[in-house]
Amino acid sequence: MTISIREERPSDYKDIECVIELAFRHAEHTDHQEHKLVEKIRETDAYQPDLTFVAVDDERIVGHIVLSKIIIKNNNGHADSLALAPVSVLPDYQGRGIGRQLIQHALSKATETGHESVIVLGHEAYYPKFGFTRASEWQIKAPFDVPDESFMALELRPNALQHVHGIVHYSRAFNE
């Protein structure tokens, strides 16, 4: 198995939707609408086509990841950041490091393109492997109730979040 990673293309959308649906079919703590979320993200100015990738095995799309623009706001201003959500891998391909490859690739590209931080709501035992820590360490909060250990942030540049605090504002795609 040789996995390659590339930017998603409009011609991939139907296959991506299937990957996302299958990846989350038996997941806990989900509304099973992640495929619709990705569609909605693409319709907003938060969509970053250069930060949305597919994992491909012999021309078959087996995984997908999206980084989209968000803002961390407080009374004194705001800071731009990215949301990592969702990451999807076909069930038959899970446990083979494809999610890890997608995340590492997306974070690397985000760093290369000058982004400074990434926020994720995810499994507290998985994302710290990539350097994510509790967002609350910077007084960054989710706009909804969520376990503190599941809401995490990553600095792509040293001290990028040093003076950042406030509430994360996701694109309208997350609120529809």
Side-chain angles (χ1 to χ4, degrees):
M1 174 178 74
T2 303
I3 299 295
S4 61
I5 298 177
R6 63 165 171 77
E7 289 180 14
E8 74 171 14
R9 302 174 188 142
S11 60
D12 298 329
Y13 291 175
K14 184 174 178 166
D15 291 336
I16 290 167
E17 181 177 341
C18 290
V19 167
I20 297 168
E21 280 188 283
L22 290 170
F24 285 94
R25 179 171 283 164
H26 300 292
E28 293 180 42
H29 312 294
T30 176
D31 62 1
H32 301 285
Q33 295 300 306
E34 289 81 5
H35 63 292
K36 296 292 184 192
L37 172 61
V38 171
E39 284 179 27
K40 291 174 185 175
I41 290 171
R42 288 188 195 117
E43 296 169 359
T44 69
D45 60 357
Y47 177 56
Q48 301 287 285
D50 60 332
L51 295 176
T52 307
F53 303 99
V54 292
V56 180
D57 179 26
D58 192 29
E59 297 186 32
R60 179 182 184 202
I61 295 175
V62 299
H64 182 257
I65 190 170
V66 178
L67 291 176
S68 60
K69 289 192 263 184
I70 58 171
I71 297 172
I72 303 167
K73 286 186 181 180
N74 63 46
N75 292 336
N76 299 320
H78 72 277
D80 295 330
S81 188
L82 295 169
L84 188 163
V87 179
S88 310
V89 178
L90 284 175
D92 291 348
Y93 284 80
Q94 291 176 5
R96 299 182 187 186
I98 295 168
R100 177 184 45 77
Q101 286 179 274
L102 282 165
I103 292 167
Q104 288 174 331
H105 185 83
L107 294 176
S108 175
K109 290 296 183 182
T111 303
E112 287 175 21
T113 55
H115 295 279
E116 297 196 347
S117 65
V118 178
I119 304 293
V120 68
L121 173 59
H123 197 278
E124 67 275 2
Y126 184 69
Y127 288 96
K129 298 174 189 177
F130 304 97
F132 284 90
T133 58
R134 292 178 187 209
S136 61
E137 291 180 17
W138 292 282
Q139 291 84 46
I140 297 171
K141 299 175 182 163
F144 40 76
D145 286 333
V146 59
D148 186 55
E149 63 274 6
S150 299
F151 194 67
M152 296 170 267
L154 172 69
E155 293 178 312
L156 298 176
R157 184 182 56 75
N159 301 315
L161 295 172
Q162 183 175 2
H163 301 292
V164 176
H165 64 280
I167 298 173
V168 170
H169 291 259
Y170 290 95
S171 74
R172 64 178 159 74
F174 287 83
N175 300 319
E176 294 178 349

